């Protein structure tokens, strides 16, 4: 049930539905799309980004909030830490307990390495569990890895690194199969045929899902497997700095026990960063779909050892974040809702975009509809949004489809008294994904010896815009590749003496650039306490707070 | 975005017995933060998927305990609350590939199942509104598909285990059953196995290699001309 001031607009949506069921909005031409992005995508707002002044990506642009942290000071004092006091000595250290980290740990262990996985919160507290929509892979006869390749390239604006896209689409069917073999309950027909749907920017139905709990289901299975195989897991153990050796290779990590503040030193022959994204930095004040620990720590610590980043000037805003009710603003309404047939309509009940354009285009079109054309709806608390006409799904595909395919979405709105199978839901773009990240090659190697990266923390795979379903694929493809490659590397490498000289060097560079007053990073978690919000933030995303 | 929801009415809530005043309309999680806690435990996805924020509460004057995910539940006046971010549940260790998808197998790994006394506390405590006792009964009867279906939306918050007088670890039992179902009972996808074999045989390698070497304008042309499956 919507309040009366919103109901009028809901009635407009209902009034045009019959007619819209028969209509399809035209797809954008390449030129129209370029103009739309240029005019309305948050990435094109000039004041939102600035050039980095030091480090491997000096001179390149990135959001202000991220630049502050990339140019931040270390949380540790290199002169106080005793590098002879090693607490754990392992072949492969995996940093991050999401899907990418879990896959990497399993594969490193299968390739005979001793493995330790450390993570900031609990194993599985990660963006991975939130993935609702699905995972791409060309598993059907009418599809092929080559078509998947074209879709991913087109989605990324042809900026993707070809060798990485090749790896992505090549390994994709194998990833679905691996998870099936581990007992993941992919959605299937009674005869075992995988259910697949369209996604934004895909030319084939290749989105594999487990209802709308796809990431949760994958994570539950992999977490269980990590535990069954006895892999050492350290929870509430964020890494605050990488350690190098005198040969210039990455060779360990400084961790803090999040609850006792105790330092822990791990030496490792190879390290895999799988720390995910940075939505909790709230670029330009946007709300986010990301989990609490998504604060770009991996980028920060990798940057400080000299690892090159790529495409750090492009972030993904998911077109359909919740705009009402207030309590869950910014939470995701999965693209699967559009994949199943729901249209986007303005406050007058008119369509304004083909619902399955790529995300950058759909998000921009919603911002245009609201900010330029004034055809968004304003909620009682001042939030702008457009309607996602979810009830169309059951009309197109039969009653019960929404309940069966979207239980998490139904529950999310039901908790606040909205029945999405009968009423449309109000949405607005929300900060969702880091398109770029640490530059890797097709084995997950970064530009620094013995340092690997997998998942949302790396970049290049998706170019400047990731397609839905290619990230939960990416984390498993590159998690598995990096796990194997790191185990192999651990056998060959000759570790040298540990050092934190790079931290001292970094501090000298900060000083030379006049940046020594920079805040300490990585920040590990955002500060949402009342005093913290007032002190450090514009407050624009602090729903319900001043 | 939010000049708007400026402080509305303040209400009293009790966090672990201590009174705080927070704006009405916040989720329990936001209210904890408003009160000054920078959370480390009891928070994860902030959107109802990870199960980190299991919370038990009671409203003053009402003896009934209630259960919720802190990130998905709005505070009420005179709410007494505590979070249960961790509960020591039992987890069996196994190799999923070698297991037999039978009721005996489940009972062998979790013999504690047989001590269920049918009190229904688990169902009453589930913030996902799952029929927990029913899936436990299915597990005891060896109806693995039933457990898999009924427990599918479990976020493994552990609230049911915290309330179970028999000490069952419902989320782990359900997880075992779902994996047994996914691995051994659900029909395998034949087209998938076939596609994997094709990939491994190198069937697509030449085509992919050609695409990798293709100039951008040719790629753009092909992209523009590709047909869309509907
Ligand atoms: C709500 C939501 C829905 C999504 N839906 C889809 C979808 O349908 N399809 C799709 O393809 N993609 C989807 N995505 C994107 C995709 O889920 C993520 O990009 C992907 O799961 C990231 O996996 P990851 O393993 O790289 O990182 P994460 O899963 O985020 O894991 C990173 C881990 O690293 C830990 N960590 C961070 N910093 C440190 C540190 N300093 N020290 C130690 N550990 C640290 C974190 O705590 C976390 O456990 C979605 C994302 C969100 C947020
Ligand atoms: S079944 Fe138990 S663990 Fe799962 S969601 Fe319900 S209460 Fe939480
Ligand atoms: S709470 Fe425990 S004993 Fe009671 S019905 Fe549930 S599983 Fe059985
Ligand atoms: S924080 Fe993940 S379910 Fe509440």
């Amino acid at each position: 049930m919507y309040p009366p001031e919103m109901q009028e607009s809901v009635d407009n949506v209902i009034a045009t539905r019959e007619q819209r069921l028969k209509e399809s909005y035209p797809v954008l031409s390449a030129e129209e799309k370029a103009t739309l992005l240029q005019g309305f995508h948050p990435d094109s707002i000039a004041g939102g980004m600035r050039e980095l002044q030091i480090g491997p990506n000096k001179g390149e642009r990135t959001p202000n909030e991220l630049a502050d942290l990339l140019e931040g000071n270390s949380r540790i004092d290199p002169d106080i830490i005793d590098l002879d006091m090693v607490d754990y000595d392992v072949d492969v250290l995996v940093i991050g307990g999401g899907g990418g980290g879990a896959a990497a740990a399993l594969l490193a262990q299968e390739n005979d390495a001793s493995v330790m996985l450390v993570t900031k919160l609990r194993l599985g507290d990660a963006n991975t569990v939130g993935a609702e929509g699905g995972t791409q892979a060309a598993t059907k006869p009418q599809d092929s890895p080559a078509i998947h390749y074209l879709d991913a390239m087109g989605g990324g604006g042809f900026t993707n690194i070809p060798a990485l896209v090749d790896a992505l689409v090549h390994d994709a069917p194998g990833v679905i199969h691996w998870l099936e073999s581990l007992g993941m309950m992919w959605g299937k027909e009674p005869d075992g045929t995988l259910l697949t749907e369209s996604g934004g920017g895909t030319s084939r139905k290749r989105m594999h899902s487990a209802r709308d709990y796809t990431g949760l289901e994958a994570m539950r299975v992999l977490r269980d497997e990590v535990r069954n195989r006895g892999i050492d897991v350290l929870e509430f153990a964020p890494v605050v700095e990488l350690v190098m050796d005198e040969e210039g290779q990455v060779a360990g990590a400084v961790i803090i026990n999040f609850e006792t503040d105790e330092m822990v030193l791990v030496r490792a022959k190879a390290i895999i960063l799988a720390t995910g994204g940075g939505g909790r930095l709230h670029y330009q004040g946007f709300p986010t779909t990301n989990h609490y620990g998504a604060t770009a720590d991996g980028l920060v610590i990798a940057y400080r050892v000299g690892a090159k980043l790529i495409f750090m000037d492009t972030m993904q805003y998911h077109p359909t974040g919740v705009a009402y009710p207030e309590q869950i603003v910014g939470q995701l309404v999965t693209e699967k809702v559009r994949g199943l047939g729901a249209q986007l309509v303005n406050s007058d009940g008119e369509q304004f975009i083909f619902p399955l354009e790529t995300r950058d285009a759909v998000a921009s079109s919603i911002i245009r509809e609201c900010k330029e054309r004034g055809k968004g709806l304003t909620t009682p608390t001042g939030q702008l949004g457009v309607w996602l006409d979810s009830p169309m799904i059951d009309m197109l595909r039969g009653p019960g489809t929404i309940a069966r395919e979207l239980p998490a979405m139904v529950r999310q709105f039901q908790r606040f008294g909205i029945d999405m199978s009968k009423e449309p839901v109000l949405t607005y773009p929300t900060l969702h994904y880091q398109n770029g990240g640490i530059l890797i090659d097709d084995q997950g190697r970064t530009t620094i010896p013995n340092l690997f990266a997998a998942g949302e923390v790396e970049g290049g795979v998706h170019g400047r815009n990731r397609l839905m379903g290619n990230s939960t694929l990416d984390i498993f493809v590159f998690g598995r590749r990096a796990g194997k490659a790191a185990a192999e590397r651990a056998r060959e490498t000759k570790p040298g003496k540990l050092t934190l000289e790079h931290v001292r060097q970094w501090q000298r560079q900060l000083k030379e650039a006049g940046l020594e007053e920079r805040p300490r990073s990585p920040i590990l978690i955002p500060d949402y306490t009342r005093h913290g919000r007032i002190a450090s933030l514009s407050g624009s995303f602090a729903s319900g707070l001043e | 975005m939010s000049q708007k929801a400026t402080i509305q009415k303040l209400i009293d809530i009790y966090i672990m017995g201590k009174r705080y005043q927070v704006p009405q309309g916040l989720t329990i999680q936001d209210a904890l933060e408003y009160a000054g806690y920078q959370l480390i435990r009891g928070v994860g996805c902030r959107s109802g998927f990870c199960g980190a924020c299991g919370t038990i509460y009671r409203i003053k004057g009402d003896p009934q305990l209630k259960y919720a995910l802190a990130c998905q539940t709005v505070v009420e006046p005179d709410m007494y609350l505590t979070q249960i971010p961790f509960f020591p549940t039992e987890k069996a260790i196994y190799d999923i590939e070698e297991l037999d998808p039978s009721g005996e197998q489940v009972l062998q790994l979790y013999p504690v199942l047989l001590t269920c006394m049918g009190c229904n506390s688990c169902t009453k405590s589930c913030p996902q509104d799952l029929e927990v006792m029913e899936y436990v009964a299915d597990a005891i009867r060896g109806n693995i598909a039933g457990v898999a279906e009924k427990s599918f939306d479990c976020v493994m918050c552990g609230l049911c285990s915290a309330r179970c007088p028999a000490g069952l670890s419902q989320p782990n039992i359900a997880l075992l059953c779902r994996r047994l179902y996914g691995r051994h009972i659900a029909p395998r996808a034949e087209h998938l196995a076939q596609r994997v074999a094709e990939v491994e045989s190198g069937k697509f390698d030449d085509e992919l290699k050609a695409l990798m070497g293709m100039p951008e304008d040719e790629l753009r042309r092909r992209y523009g001309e590709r047909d869309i499956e509907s």
Side-chain angles (χ1 to χ4, degrees), chain B residues 151-165:
Chain B
S151 73
F152 191 81
D153 299 358
C154 169
V155 293
M156 303 189 77
C157 66
L159 284 174
C160 52
S161 308
R163 296 295 291 151
C164 175

Side-chain angles (χ1 to χ4, degrees), chain A residues 30 40 68 148 205 208 545:
Chain A
F40 296 94
D68 287 347
H148 189 179
K205 293 187 174 172
H208 302 71
L545 304 179

Side-chain angles (χ1 to χ4, degrees), chain A residues 412-529:
Chain A
Q412 168 171 302
F413 285 102
Q414 200 90 66
R415 281 178 169 136
F416 298 94
I418 293 166
D419 179 354
M420 71 180 284
S421 67
K422 304 214 165 56
E423 301 165 294
V425 294
L426 197 74
T427 61
Y428 194 79
T430 178
L431 177 57
H432 188 53
Y433 183 79
Q434 178 172 285
N435 289 313
I438 305 167
L439 177 64
I440 54 163
D441 71 7
D442 65 350
Q443 303 302 314
R445 287 182 287 241
T446 70
T447 55
I448 301 297
N450 298 359
L451 182 64
F452 297 75
E456 191 168 342
V457 75
E458 34 84 348
V461 184
H462 311 289
R464 303 187 60 82
N465 176 57
R466 171 188 66 103
L467 295 185
M468 170 195 175
N470 271 350
S471 179
T472 47
L473 174 59
D474 169 350
I475 65 180
F476 300 129
V477 167
F478 289 96
R480 287 167 51 86
R481 283 184 174 226
K484 180 158 184 284
E488 282 162 9
R489 179 65 195 159
R491 277 197 289 279
E492 299 159 2
T493 188
K494 301 255 176 309
K497 193 171 163 15
L498 297 184
T499 169
L500 286 167
E501 193 47 38
H502 63 285
V503 176
R504 294 192 190 89
Q505 241 172 50
W506 180 258
Q507 288 169 336
R508 280 195 291 275
Q509 284 188 61
L510 283 176
K511 197 158 183 195
E512 280 159 25
L515 301 174
E516 65 264 56
E517 295 306 314
R518 275 300 145 84
R520 295 183 186 272
S521 60
I523 61 165
L524 311 180
I525 44 173
D527 186 354
Y528 291 155
T529 59

Side-chain angles (χ1 to χ4, degrees), chain A residues 319-381:
Chain A
T320 56
V322 174
Y324 183 90
E326 176 73 13
Q327 288 85 358
I328 55 170
V329 164
Q331 279 180 33
L332 184 64
V333 182
T334 174
E335 189 165 308
K336 188 171 177 185
V337 177
R338 280 173 287 139
L340 290 168
Q343 294 169 346
L344 281 163
V345 294
N346 62 25
S347 56
D348 295 336
E350 305 153 347
Q351 286 200 78
F352 53 89
I353 186 82
F354 174 63
L356 292 177
E357 297 278 359
T358 55
R359 284 182 177 171
D360 46 2
V362 181
S364 302
S365 78
I366 295 172
I367 295 173
R368 178 176 64 189
E369 204 64 16
C370 293
K371 299 250 158 114
E372 190 188 59
R373 298 180 176 167
K375 293 214 167 190
L377 181 69
T378 307
T379 69
T381 56

Side-chain angles (χ1 to χ4, degrees), chain A residues 307-331:
Chain A
K308 179 94 180 139
L309 312 181
I310 184 171
F311 300 134
M312 289 322 301
D313 58 342
T314 150
M315 297 296 155
Q316 183 165 83
Y317 295 82
H318 195 290
T320 56
V322 174
Y324 183 90
E326 176 73 13
Q327 288 85 358
I328 55 170
V329 164
Q331 279 180 33

